[in-house]
Amino acid sequence: MARILVIDDHDTLREGMTVTLTRAGHAVSAARSGAEGLAAYKKSPFELVVTDLKMDGMDGIAVTRALKQADANAVVLVVTAFGTIETAVQAMQEGASDFITKPFAPDVLRAKVDKGLELSATRRQVEKLTARTAAHDADAALTHGSLVGDSEPVRKLLAQARKAAATDATVLVRGESGTGKELVARMLHQESPRKDGPFVVVHCAALAETLLESELFGHERGAFTGAVKRKLGRFELADGGTLFLDEVGEIPASVQTKLLRVLQERELQRVGGEETLKVDVRVVSATHRDLQAEVKAGRFREDLYYRLHIVPLQLPPLRERPEDLPLLARHFVAKHGPRVNRRVTGMDDGALRALTRHAWPGNVRELENCIEQALVFAEGDVLTEADLPSHLTGGAARLDAGLPVPHGDRPLPDILEDLERQLIARAYDKAGGVKTETARLLGIKTSALYYKLEKYGFLPKGERPEEG
């Protein structure tokens, strides 16, 4: 069923066309003048407009010209009793897709309308694909890192994510900034039944309230100052696929209300429009905030929270999976080396030990940035400690310096574990990797040291303590 607008100031012809097209299964609206029809189209665009050429006031040529100015994709069929070449050419020059000469049989009208609707569907699909491509190109520039790791927290997360991917459930990905929330969202899409559909991203924290609403739901031409043409929203672009709402905790209250309606009803209206659009979208959202605390503080709607929080996935920060750090570091050398510094093929042990001494408040994203920076300045074919950024090798990272100040508001056990790991790393470095000497410097038994070295990723699991 298509939405069709019939414009004619002759009652008999208008009503006849309306009846014919309604019987053909279309939703038909009728207007008695060109101005009335144009106003109806601007409120809610139609898939096809059938307009008489000769009308009082605004004639069919003027209607066609105005419709094409309002919507470049408008498909217009002009009805004329003056079937001359000049009239047809003028109508086509103004943007009409076809014309039909009076009198005509119902079958001829239906055939012309079917042809026009095929053209309309093609134009809308091209518009959607073009918008999706532009959105994808913009989003690709904001994607960082890669979900790499073999630690227990990562294996557990991936197992949960794969189970969630097989369903159509709404997922909330939680984690600190830089942990790879978008990468998990992309994995959920790629391993889901929707993998052949679009994956569309909205970076909620990067947009002002008015822009975010337009970005999510789209807008009609003239909806606000600067809205010079219709814009399809990200929900429409994600139809049949997955919509990723990054930093959903930053969405303002007014937009939260509209988002809740879309999640509940699976339908929306563009800003400034009246047409209700159905959408088939799986929503995956992410946040670094504690949304339950935001709900208690009155900054986030409780009903929206429960709509988003069907399947929660928690990403571990890098400090909770230090055994993944060498794997990640080498991955980023391989990823950026060919582009930044082709000579570099790896990292030495000194550089890896220096990396383990850092708390990584920026998580995997910070690590990737540091590796890329080191590649820029590296002189040899492997990265050394001297190639790393100064904040990793100087000041608090030196053995004779004080411990670094912990970053962020974190539980005391987490802070103490960080400090213990850094102390062990410094002693291990000072002892040249000799375990018995490392244990002596720390004042602990060698067996206890092995446990801690395994725990913090300095050694592979299962390595036996030294004898003697």
Side-chain angles (χ1 to χ4, degrees):
M1 182 181 73
R3 298 179 66 253
I4 298 175
L5 175 63
V6 174
I7 307 173
D8 202 317
D9 60 359
H10 298 91
D11 293 344
T12 302
L13 182 58
R14 183 182 66 252
E15 290 169 4
M17 289 192 291
T18 299
V19 169
T20 297
L21 296 177
T22 300
R23 286 176 176 172
H26 301 300
V28 185
S29 298
R32 292 182 171 82
S33 68
E36 181 184 335
L38 182 61
Y41 191 95
K42 287 183 175 179
K43 270 187 178 178
S44 180
F46 292 80
E47 291 161 74
L48 178 71
V49 176
V50 183
T51 180
D52 202 347
L53 178 66
K54 189 176 181 181
M55 295 185 293
D56 291 337
M58 195 176 200
D59 64 11
I61 298 294
V63 168
T64 300
R65 185 185 305 121
L67 285 171
K68 297 300 287 186
Q69 288 175 348
D71 179 6
N73 289 319
V75 177
V76 184
L77 173 63
V78 173
V79 178
T80 176
F82 310 97
T84 65
I85 296 296
E86 292 80 5
T87 303
V89 168
Q90 185 180 3
M92 301 297 240
Q93 286 175 339
E94 295 297 341
S97 60
D98 203 351
F99 69 97
I100 183 170
T101 305
K102 294 183 288 189
F104 50 81
D107 286 348
V108 175
L109 176 62
R110 285 192 289 267
K112 290 280 188 178
V113 165
D114 288 345
K115 181 181 176 183
L117 289 174
E118 288 180 9
L119 175 61
S120 177
T122 300
R123 287 181 178 176
R124 301 301 177 194
Q125 185 65 17
V126 169
E127 178 186 25
K128 185 174 287 189
L129 289 173
T130 301
R132 281 177 180 170
T133 300
H136 177 270
D137 290 345
D139 296 333
L142 297 173
T143 303
H144 300 271
S146 181
L147 194 66
V148 174
D150 192 42
S151 62
E152 182 60 29
V154 170
R155 289 199 298 268
K156 181 179 179 181
L157 168 69
L158 292 176
Q160 292 173 335
R162 290 189 179 100
K163 288 182 180 179
T167 74
D168 214 29
T170 302
V171 178
L172 176 63
V173 185
R174 299 175 298 181
E176 296 177 9
S177 295
T179 49
K181 296 186 288 294
E182 182 171 337
L183 292 161
V184 173
R186 289 182 184 275
M187 174 193 161
L188 289 167
H189 174 71
Q190 289 299 326
E191 299 194 14
S192 77
R194 295 174 175 265
K195 63 183 179 181
D196 294 327
F199 179 84
V200 178
V201 181
V202 181
H203 297 278
C204 301
L207 299 169
E209 181 173 346
T210 52
L211 291 177
L212 178 59
E213 184 177 2
S214 171
E215 196 71 19
L216 286 172
F217 312 120
H219 64 250
E220 298 291 353
R221 182 176 183 268
F224 49 83
T225 303
V228 295
K229 64 178 182 179
R230 181 177 62 200
K231 174 184 173 66
L232 302 185
R234 295 293 179 107
F235 267 100
E236 285 182 82
L237 300 180
D239 192 44
T242 303
L243 179 66
F244 175 52
L245 302 177
D246 192 19
E247 294 302 347
V248 71
E250 310 301 319
I251 293 180
S254 61
V255 181
Q256 288 179 32
T257 302
K258 296 183 178 181
L259 175 60
L260 177 63
R261 178 177 181 268
V262 177
L263 294 176
Q264 288 176 331
E265 307 298 332
R266 300 294 172 180
E267 61 184 30
L268 58 86
Q269 290 181 331
R270 299 189 190 106
V271 177
E274 296 183 357
E275 180 183 6
T276 298
L277 305 168
K278 291 284 187 180
V279 288
D280 173 25
V281 175
R282 183 194 193 172
V283 173
V284 177
S285 56
T287 182
H288 73 282
R289 294 187 178 276
D290 182 345
L291 287 191
Q292 286 182 307
E294 293 295 298
V295 169
K296 290 179 181 177
R299 292 186 292 266
F300 201 85
R301 291 185 61 124
E302 185 175 22
D303 44 7
L304 177 58
Y305 169 72
Y306 286 115
R307 280 283 173 183
L308 296 172
H309 192 262
I310 304 297
V311 177
L313 294 177
Q314 182 71 47
L315 268 72
L318 186 52
R319 64 180 176 273
E320 292 181 4
R321 53 184 187 112
E323 59 268 46
D324 288 333
L325 198 147
L327 188 64
L328 283 162
R330 293 189 176 99
H331 167 77
F332 292 133
V333 169
K335 174 182 176 182
H336 296 294
R339 177 178 59 85
V340 178
N341 190 335
R342 291 182 179 274
R343 296 190 308 273
V344 177
T345 58
M347 303 183 71
D348 69 13
D349 291 341
L352 287 172
R353 286 195 294 270
L355 293 178
T356 63
R357 293 196 293 263
H358 187 58
W360 300 110
N363 291 295
V364 178
R365 183 178 297 143
E366 182 188 0
L367 173 63
E368 180 175 12
N369 291 343
C370 288
I371 296 298
E372 190 170 2
Q373 182 180 336
L375 287 167
V376 171
F377 297 106
E379 298 291 340
D381 57 1
V382 294
L383 290 184
T384 67
E385 183 174 357
D387 297 321
L388 298 176
S390 59
H391 73 281
L392 298 181
T393 59
R398 294 196 180 276
L399 292 176
D400 58 350
L403 292 173
V405 177
H407 294 271
D409 296 323
R410 296 161 48 205
L412 181 59
D414 290 351
I415 294 172
L416 293 176
E417 279 199 351
D418 272 0
L419 296 178
E420 182 181 63
R421 176 172 54 81
Q422 291 171 59
L423 284 168
I424 291 171
R426 294 177 190 188
Y428 192 57
D429 191 44
K430 187 175 181 178
V434 178
K435 282 80 171 180
T436 51
E437 178 61 11
T438 303
R440 188 190 69 78
L441 290 172
L442 292 170
I444 60 176
K445 293 181 178 180
T446 304
S447 58
L449 173 65
Y450 267 84
Y451 167 78
K452 293 181 183 296
L453 289 174
E454 286 185 359
K455 175 182 178 182
Y456 294 119
F458 294 96
L459 291 178
K461 293 182 178 180
E463 185 169 328
R464 300 288 301 176
E466 297 165 337
E467 297 296 334

